[in-house]
Amino acid sequence: MFSPERNPVPLAARWLPLRQRVAATVYLTLLLALLFGVGAVWMAQMTRSQANELVRLADASKAVRGFRTNVDKMQFAAYRFVAANHGSAVAQVSRLYSATRASLTDCLATRCVDASAEGRIEALLDGLDRFYKAFNEAVAQRSVLSSIIDQRFKPNLAFVRQELPALVQTESSGARADSAQALDAVSLRAIQRHLLAVEEATNSLLYSANLQSYSGLAIDFECERGHLARLSPSVSEASVAAIRTALEQMERVWGALLQRARGYLFLVNVVMAADAHEMQVIAGQLEQQIETALVDAHRGTDSKLFGFASALILLLLLGSLAVFALGRAMATSVTQQLRALTQTFNDLAAGSRAPIRIQSPHNDEIGELALAAARFRDANAEIHDLLARYQTLNEALESKVAERTFALEESNRQLERLAHTDRLTGVLNRRALEQLLEDEVKRSQRYGRPFSLMYLDIDHFKEINDRHGHEVGDAVLIRIARELGAMLRAHDRLGRWGGEEFLILCSETTGEDARSLAERIRAQVEQLQLESIGQVTLSIGIASLAPTQTVERLLAEADQAMYRAKSLGRNRCVLA
């Protein structure tokens, strides 16, 4: 309508104005989008259904793993009660039993596992109840043992120990000092030694799983009666009779205590251990069953989703071809005129002052755009100024984005370092050690290079914590880690394995070279004098990597060597 130039006009543009053509194109696009949306919703519903099944199985697997962990904790707490009579251990067992039983009961109620696995859940509940019942019975028997010792055994022991010194004093203060009196004094001192053995064995009865020392007290009682019988007639017969009666009562109580202790330890060492082992076996089988079902569910989900996705893609492809064929005719009529408009506005944006030439067979939006182009030409200078200011602001924004990006990357690097560093000592943590150890073993075996591992343990560290507190124990760990780091070579890596245990990874190092380095480390640590602690020593186990050895086996050999160093007297190095 504005230009004397006559270019060919598309057929659709001759029939319809721009607005109707654009609307037709939009409707066709919406139709295709609707087709995609219906397919996506359908696929989402199928995915959600399959995902719920996978989540159910994953939750069941997690619950079983948690059960196994709780069983281990309960067993450890029960042994802690046996070894130290901690009331907190009884509360912990009760708390873990209640939480674990509630979890298993809830699993049965919500059908978190298939019907074929519910029998194992019920078996776990039965085993849990038996373990808890046995533990409560063991607690009760321990209380009875303690009561018998306090009320029937210790009073007689105290009486005998009170009477014996008086007999010795009477004999030693007499007017005559002949050989009979000397023999009496020897016999009385021998009785005191046997009483000391009886007292020590009785005191350890409640804190040991071995009855050997206590069951052998019959010899001590026999010896005490023999020594009493060998006393000379000058010793007071009434005092000897009273002591003999007290010893006989102690011996009778000893027999009763021995029988009860055997029953108590049978509960702890046999019944509870068997129940815990049975629960672990059943839980392992249940976990394997759930893992198998989870794998099968994954495969089924993948198969269903693949089939559905293939059908959906085929349907969308056919629909897209139909929509494309109809929409292309409309789009072409629009794009040709829009390209002409685009070229005109590009020229104007570049500063062109040429007349506007746009052809349109209808009095529609194309004509309105021609008028807008004329107004754009008039305001072109102002637009260029605005663009210049925008470019300046954009450059400033890009500079700030670059600064923020750099700061974010630096924060990520710092987080990565923290994730591989022990928070207390600053050396590598267990996670970093496991990855580094795996890499070093693979590298050494691939290239046939030597590699050795040191397993270090601080001697008597628990006594340091118990006597001086955990803050002092933490300070000892920090000082030892710093001293070890200063003594290592450039290619050695130090990390904290857990508690008071450290690992040193020695690349390109044979077992003998590692042993020499470990001996230097042990000697230098032995010379340290720590504040309020004094001397601290290390037990070090060294293991050298074999050509086909696994990481787990290498760790086990180093650990066994370290424990051998402890069994040989601590403060030494042992090569596996």
Side-chain angles (χ1 to χ4, degrees):
M1 58 185 275
F2 292 98
S3 174
E5 302 174 0
R6 296 298 177 184
N7 296 326
V9 179
L11 183 60
R14 296 176 186 176
W15 291 346
L16 296 172
L18 178 63
R19 182 173 300 174
Q20 282 77 8
R21 282 178 281 148
V22 172
T25 304
V26 170
Y27 292 149
L28 291 174
T29 305
L30 289 177
L31 179 61
L32 182 61
L34 180 62
L35 188 61
F36 273 96
V38 171
V41 171
W42 193 2
M43 189 169 184
Q45 291 293 339
M46 179 177 289
T47 304
R48 184 180 298 109
S49 176
Q50 298 298 321
N52 289 337
E53 177 65 15
L54 294 177
V55 169
R56 181 182 70 84
L57 291 173
D59 289 342
S61 179
K62 181 180 179 181
V64 173
R65 287 195 297 271
F67 171 81
R68 297 181 70 178
T69 301
N70 285 348
V71 169
D72 288 337
K73 291 181 179 178
M74 289 173 62
Q75 193 172 14
F76 177 78
Y79 290 153
R80 186 159 62 90
F81 170 77
V82 172
N85 194 24
H86 282 180
S88 61
V90 179
Q92 183 180 10
V93 171
S94 299
R95 184 174 63 254
L96 288 171
Y97 166 77
S98 299
T100 306
R101 200 179 198 289
S103 175
L104 292 176
T105 304
D106 183 68
C107 182
L108 283 177
T110 58
R111 297 185 179 274
C112 67
V113 295
D114 297 331
S116 60
E118 289 182 355
R120 287 195 169 98
I121 296 290
E122 294 173 354
L124 291 178
L125 281 171
D126 292 338
L128 190 65
D129 291 337
R130 289 196 306 271
F131 180 91
Y132 187 65
K133 180 180 178 181
F135 176 75
N136 286 331
E137 186 175 349
V139 172
Q141 290 196 19
R142 185 191 182 102
S143 177
V144 172
L145 284 172
S146 179
S147 176
I148 292 175
I149 291 173
D150 292 338
Q151 298 178 10
R152 298 175 56 190
F153 193 91
K154 288 187 176 180
N156 287 303
L157 178 64
F159 171 80
V160 173
R161 298 191 69 175
Q162 181 181 357
E163 290 294 320
L164 285 176
L167 293 179
V168 174
Q169 182 178 3
T170 301
E171 290 300 310
S172 61
S173 61
R176 294 185 303 110
D178 55 9
S179 59
Q181 291 176 333
L183 290 175
D184 289 342
V186 171
S187 297
L188 292 174
R189 285 192 293 269
I191 294 173
Q192 289 177 329
R193 287 195 301 271
H194 287 293
L195 282 177
L196 181 59
V198 170
E199 183 180 18
E200 290 176 351
T202 305
N203 290 335
S204 65
L205 177 62
L206 297 178
Y207 302 95
S208 174
N210 186 1
L211 295 178
Q212 182 176 0
S213 61
Y214 189 74
S215 61
L217 293 182
I219 298 176
D220 294 282
F221 286 113
E222 183 66 27
C223 291
E224 289 169 350
R225 286 195 299 270
H227 288 299
L228 283 176
R230 285 193 292 271
L231 292 176
S232 64
S234 61
V235 179
S236 172
E237 183 59 28
S239 298
V240 172
I243 293 174
R244 184 180 296 108
T245 300
L247 289 175
E248 290 174 352
Q249 293 176 355
M250 288 171 58
E251 188 172 6
R252 285 193 296 274
V253 174
W254 164 77
L257 285 174
L258 184 59
Q259 292 302 319
R260 286 187 173 273
R262 286 171 178 166
Y264 161 73
L265 292 179
F266 178 80
L267 283 173
V268 173
N269 295 331
V270 178
V271 177
M272 292 170 56
D275 289 339
H277 176 71
E278 181 182 358
M279 287 189 286
Q280 290 287 11
V281 171
I282 296 175
Q285 295 172 348
L286 179 60
E287 185 176 3
Q288 181 63 35
Q289 183 177 355
I290 294 174
E291 290 295 336
T292 302
L294 188 60
V295 171
D296 293 339
H298 270 293
R299 292 174 179 170
T301 299
D302 293 341
S303 177
K304 291 179 181 178
L305 291 180
F306 177 79
F308 179 79
S310 300
L312 181 61
I313 290 173
L314 180 60
L315 178 62
L316 293 178
L317 181 60
L318 295 177
S320 299
L321 290 175
V323 173
F324 176 78
L326 295 174
R328 189 176 186 279
M330 298 297 178
T332 301
S333 66
V334 175
T335 56
Q336 286 183 358
Q337 291 182 315
L338 289 179
R339 279 197 292 269
L341 285 169
T342 300
Q343 183 61 43
T344 298
F345 279 98
N346 286 336
D347 294 340
L348 293 175
S352 173
R353 300 292 179 175
I356 306 300
R357 293 186 177 92
I358 301 177
Q359 183 180 3
S360 176
H362 302 283
N363 187 17
D364 55 6
E365 289 78 8
I366 299 297
E368 294 176 2
L369 286 173
L371 296 176
R375 292 192 295 271
F376 180 82
R377 179 188 59 192
D378 297 336
N380 195 29
E382 180 180 358
I383 291 176
H384 276 292
D385 293 338
L386 291 174
L387 288 174
R389 290 197 296 271
Y390 170 78
Q391 185 176 4
T392 301
L393 292 173
N394 188 49
E395 291 174 354
L397 180 60
E398 289 179 352
S399 176
K400 290 183 178 180
V401 169
E403 293 175 0
R404 296 291 177 88
T405 302
F406 177 80
L408 181 59
E409 292 175 350
E410 183 62 25
S411 298
N412 288 337
R413 286 192 294 270
Q414 181 66 20
L415 288 174
E416 182 68 18
R417 287 193 297 271
L418 292 175
H420 291 82
T421 303
D422 181 61
R423 296 174 64 183
L424 177 63
T425 61
V427 299
L428 295 176
N429 59 16
R430 181 166 185 153
R431 174 185 175 187
L433 278 175
E434 289 175 345
Q435 183 61 50
L436 186 59
L437 183 57
E438 186 79 21
D439 294 341
E440 285 292 335
V441 168
K442 290 180 180 178
R443 184 191 65 81
S444 298
Q445 292 178 340
R446 183 183 301 116
Y447 299 108
R449 305 301 300 168
F451 175 77
S452 297
L453 176 67
M454 295 187 198
Y455 203 120
L456 301 85
D457 186 273
I458 302 176
D459 295 330
H460 303 295
F461 185 77
K462 184 178 183 303
E463 297 180 5
I464 295 176
N465 275 337
D466 294 342
R467 182 177 300 175
H468 303 281
H470 288 282
E471 291 183 358
V472 174
D474 291 346
V476 171
L477 289 174
I478 294 171
R479 176 66 182 280
I480 292 298
R482 185 168 63 248
E483 294 294 333
L484 291 176
M487 288 184 277
L488 296 183
R489 302 167 301 182
H491 57 273
D492 296 332
R493 302 302 299 272
L494 168 66
R496 184 183 178 191
W497 190 245
E500 69 274 17
E501 299 173 345
F502 293 85
L503 293 186
I504 298 178
L505 282 60
C506 303
S507 303
E508 303 292 332
T509 306
T510 64
E512 288 299 328
D513 292 339
R515 182 175 185 176
S516 299
L517 175 61
E519 185 60 30
R520 291 197 299 271
I521 291 174
R522 184 204 62 76
Q524 189 161 343
V525 170
E526 184 183 15
Q527 295 175 2
L528 295 177
Q529 291 296 323
L530 303 182
E531 182 179 358
S532 74
I533 298 298
Q535 186 184 52
V536 174
T537 60
L538 297 177
S539 294
I540 305 176
I542 307 104
S544 183
L545 180 66
T548 60
Q549 195 173 32
T550 64
V551 173
E552 292 76 11
R553 185 57 189 166
L554 180 65
L555 274 169
E557 288 187 1
D559 184 46
Q560 292 170 4
M562 182 273 290
Y563 276 106
R564 178 163 175 78
K566 285 188 174 295
S567 66
L568 292 175
R570 295 183 173 85
N571 190 23
R572 64 188 66 241
C573 304
V574 173
L575 176 61

